Amino acid sequence: MSKNIEKQYLKLLKDILDNGVEKQDRTGTGTISVFGRQIRHDMSKGFPLLTTKKMYWKGIATELLWFLRGDTNIKYLVDNNCHIWDGDAYQNYLKQYEKDKKHGVKYEDNPKHDRPFNREEFINWIKNVDEFAKIYGELGPIYGHQWRSWETEIFEKDEKTKQVFHGTQQVDQIQNLINDLKTNPDSRRLMVNAWNVGELDKMVLPPCHYGFQVYTRELSDSEKWEQYVKSGLNIEINGTPLELKHMGTPYYPKSLPQRAISLMWNQRSVDTFLGLPFNIASYALLLEIIAKEVNMVPDELIGNLGDVHLYSNHVEQAKEQMTREPMKLPTLCDLPNGNWESFTPFNFDLKGYSHHETIKAPLSN
């Protein structure tokens, strides 16, 4: 199966530095870029939160829950002290300010709004003024909207077999995925897509990681035995304790996992120094959440990466990280029972997370 995820990541940094080509980008920063790479991680080897620099774990969990809520407004993030989307929201605010001001939006209790707020003022208003946040904190139909409320048109045929528009409906791709996993786990259609071509121009930023697919398989007898031992159950057959040879029989408890589940995500644009470590941990956590909901064992995490780049102002930071020796990966503590939609950022605890110091780098928006 997969080798150490962090060594793969460090090797990817080296690959970019050794083989990348210089390219311009929308931010004006400039990148060194390679194309078409893949990383894989065996989830039984630990939770893939990088150790060669300290990672903002609570922020990763908060952003993922924001996606899963179907939320597209940064207020939830700001209220939870997660600021990774602040730059995109602020740039969008600056673009929209003059136009929205003409629409009669006024905040007369703050005369400074006769000119655009600076970034600190903007975030403060998002946090404290609901009306302002509702307007200027919105990022358009990005990830959360597409995952939970993909809008599609409904057509019906009239008597002459011509299609007649009947209305719209919203598709909850996450809930559909969970339902399908429970009823048809061998389906090859276990997918969620965020790349809605018809709404890209309404998004503050088109999706970088634009879709994912899950795959399940039946556990082997030895894997079932591992789950049985881990459960702490003590079942006997006519006074004889359950053994490995019973795992492929009806004696294996139906309450224990029967299947393993893997997740593969696709990403068109990869900010390798700042973004990719977040993406790895975020999709690993998503895999854990889905596995918990459908009572399966997290198996393999796979990332298919398109334009894999280092921003020009991240090169020295990447070189520093490459000198560091990876530590043992942490483990994710058991997730709480109950509805996955009720999870909070505080429900995700890690055990044994040792790490090197933070390496700071600017985020390009």
Side-chain angles (χ1 to χ4, degrees), residues 16-17 20-23 30-34 308-312 315:
I16 297 170
L17 292 173
V21 297
E22 293 185 5
K23 298 186 70 174
T31 67
I32 307 173
S33 171
V34 296
V308 187
H309 52 266
L310 280 171
Y311 283 101
S312 58
V315 170

Side-chain angles (χ1 to χ4, degrees), residues 4-7 9-10 47-55 277 321 324-330 352-358:
N4 182 282
I5 182 66
E6 191 144 23
K7 290 183 178 179
Y9 174 78
L10 296 176
F47 190 84
L49 188 67
L50 297 193
T51 66
T52 46
K53 65 179 179 181
K54 183 180 180 180
M55 295 292 297
Q321 188 171 359
R324 298 178 174 184
E325 187 65 27
M327 301 179 183
K328 183 178 179 180
L329 292 177
Y353 182 43
S354 300
H355 52 78
H356 293 265
E357 294 180 357
T358 301

Side-chain angles (χ1 to χ4, degrees), residues 155-184:
F155 292 89
E156 292 184 350
K157 290 184 177 180
D158 64 11
E159 295 178 355
K160 298 181 180 179
T161 69
K162 294 181 180 179
Q163 287 189 329
V164 177
F165 179 66
H166 187 64
T168 61
Q169 68 177 9
Q170 293 182 331
V171 179
D172 186 341
Q173 294 189 82
I174 297 295
Q175 190 58 60
N176 287 350
L177 174 67
I178 290 171
N179 293 343
D180 289 343
L181 281 167
K182 292 179 178 179
T183 58
N184 187 16

Side-chain angles (χ1 to χ4, degrees), residues 293-360:
E293 178 65 21
V294 298
N295 194 26
M296 295 183 188
V297 179
D299 196 5
E300 192 172 17
L301 179 71
I302 305 164
N304 292 322
L305 312 176
D307 187 317
V308 187
H309 52 266
L310 280 171
Y311 283 101
S312 58
N313 54 3
H314 293 172
V315 170
E316 294 307 313
Q317 293 92 327
K319 289 179 178 178
E320 179 182 350
Q321 188 171 359
M322 288 166 58
T323 67
R324 298 178 174 184
E325 187 65 27
M327 301 179 183
K328 183 178 179 180
L329 292 177
T331 56
L332 182 68
C333 297
D334 290 341
L335 299 184
N337 294 320
N339 191 321
W340 60 274
E341 293 187 278
S342 66
F343 287 165
T344 75
F346 299 99
N347 288 137
F348 309 112
D349 294 324
L350 293 171
K351 182 167 60 177
Y353 182 43
S354 300
H355 52 78
H356 293 265
E357 294 180 357
T358 301
I359 305 177
K360 294 184 178 180

Side-chain angles (χ1 to χ4, degrees), residues 47-50 53-68 76-77 80-85 274-286 289 345 348 350 353:
F47 190 84
L49 188 67
L50 297 193
K53 65 179 179 181
K54 183 180 180 180
M55 295 292 297
Y56 180 31
W57 172 238
K58 182 175 179 289
I60 294 169
T62 299
E63 184 197 38
L64 176 61
L65 290 182
W66 181 61
F67 292 157
L68 289 172
Y76 175 84
L77 299 178
N80 283 280
N81 199 31
C82 179
H83 297 284
I84 56 181
W85 281 86
L274 287 181
L276 182 55
F278 260 70
N279 302 136
I280 294 169
S282 180
Y283 275 106
L285 182 56
L286 178 60
I289 291 172
F348 309 112
L350 293 171
Y353 182 43

Side-chain angles (χ1 to χ4, degrees), residues 253-266:
K254 292 183 179 180
S255 61
L256 296 181
Q258 310 287 322
R259 285 179 171 261
I261 180 171
S262 296
L263 183 150
M264 178 175 68
W265 87 90
N266 297 305

